[in-house]
Each structure stands twice: as C-alpha cells, then as structure tokens.
Amino acid sequence: MGKIKWLGHSCFEIELMNKIILIDPWLDGNPKAPVKASDIKKADVICVTHDHSDHLGDAFDICKRTGATFVSVYELSVYAQEKGVKETVGINIGGTVNVKEIEISMVRAVHSCTRGAPAGFILNGEGKTIYHAGDTGFFGDMRLIGEVYSPDVALIPIGGYYTMGAREAAEAVKLIKPKVVVPMHYQTFPVLASSAEDFIKAVTEKLPQVKVVALKPGEIYQF
Ligand code: NI
Ligand code: MN
C-alpha cells in the first residue's frame, strides 16, 4: 500500500516499502504545514528538488536528527555535506539510484536555482510509481516522463507565478498521463492560486480518465 500525505506547499510524506520518504520538507515557516519540523521523528530518505528555501526548508535539520539519507542534484548534495549532513546521494538528471530499497530517478524541471539544476523525482517501490515534478513550467518532454516511468500518481505544481498555473498544469497532465494527479504549490503565498478549482475543472473537462485528488494539508491518500 502506498501512502501520500501532503504537508503543504510542495512537501509530501510518502510511505513505500515501509520506508518514509520526505520530499521538499519546508515545514517551519510554512503557513500551510500541519506539523513543525521537530514533529518529524522518523524519516528514511529526504529528496529535495532544488535549493529554494520553500523546498530545501528543514531538510538538513531533519536529516541530522533522523539519520535520513539526503538525495538531490550533485551540487546541492555537496552543500548538504558542508552543512554537516552525513548521508548524501548526489545524482543528476537522468540518473537512477536505489536508496534503502526505493528506486529514485531524477528528471528535468524547468525552473531556476542557485546550486546545480532544478529537478523532479520519480519514486518507485512496491510496484508503485510517484512523480514529484518539483517547481516547473510545462515542457514537451513530460510526455517522455509519462511514457518511460508510467507514474501512478503525479504531484504537480499548479499555483502559477513561479511555476505552471492551472491551464499549463492541465496540459502537463495530458502529457504525463498519470492515473491520479495531486496538485501542489498553491495557496501558500498571496501570489499563488488560492484554490485548485480551476485546475480541477480543466482536468475533469479535458481528461476525465485522470482522477484529481486535491488534498488538504495533513490529509493522506492511499493507493
Ligand atoms: Ni523554486
Ligand atoms: Mn517553490
């Protein structure tokens, strides 16, 4: 059974193979986070898509406290080491690693960052595949991501301003063809979309075969 809990913004706590994987754990200072970083007692793997503070967030603290392995683009993993994180895996776009029985692939994201390059992640375990798109605009190769990895669940940004908005995100879903899509990166700041309504409407109208699961912060989706 795969389990996905939304912790607000782009942060998800995912359970696969009895392991806990956190992606983009920005909790302290995140107005939508239902928990504080100190509430996270157990984590096995922490994946960070890029070094913007709303994604890197509390990753180093949680890694040091729980012994979780930090997975990111190479340059960001070097920075994590400099900041005292012991277990790091620094890969790059196109690479796949097996970390604690979870297969993790890094894919492209069209965005900016300071260290290395922004990325998305594909997680695979128990025969389930989850795609976390990171912060990104839409791009044609999302079709390839869909074809090569066949994600069951896609976590994609819909808030606009810094990433895709509802219209672009609906086009992205068309390319990725997941079974389920979970919107993220909205509602957090005044400049981001205040609800998932436009996205849900666009996907429901154009892609009735894709299920939209708009979680509330703290809510869990099992699949
Ligand atoms: Ni960003
Ligand atoms: Mn962001």
Side-chain angles (χ1 to χ4, degrees), residues 9 50 54-55 135 185:
H9 204 55
H50 64 297
D54 57 320
H55 298 262
D135 273 0
H185 213 273

Side-chain angles (χ1 to χ4, degrees), residues 58-125:
D58 307 293
F60 296 163
D61 287 349
I62 300 170
C63 279
K64 287 181 207 170
R65 205 156 35 71
T66 62
T69 303
F70 181 85
V71 182
S72 71
V73 75
Y74 173 74
E75 289 80 0
L76 182 52
S77 76
V78 170
Y79 180 63
Q81 286 273 347
E82 285 166 13
K83 292 289 176 188
V85 177
K86 296 228 162 52
E87 297 293 325
T88 66
V89 176
I91 55 174
N92 218 316
I93 314 291
T96 296
V97 282
N98 194 302
V99 183
K100 299 179 182 169
E101 295 180 279
I102 311 294
E103 189 183 271
I104 303 171
S105 302
M106 183 171 276
V107 295
R108 188 177 167 214
V110 178
H111 192 62
S112 67
C113 66
T114 305
R115 298 167 189 87
F121 287 107
I122 310 281
L123 306 182
N124 187 284

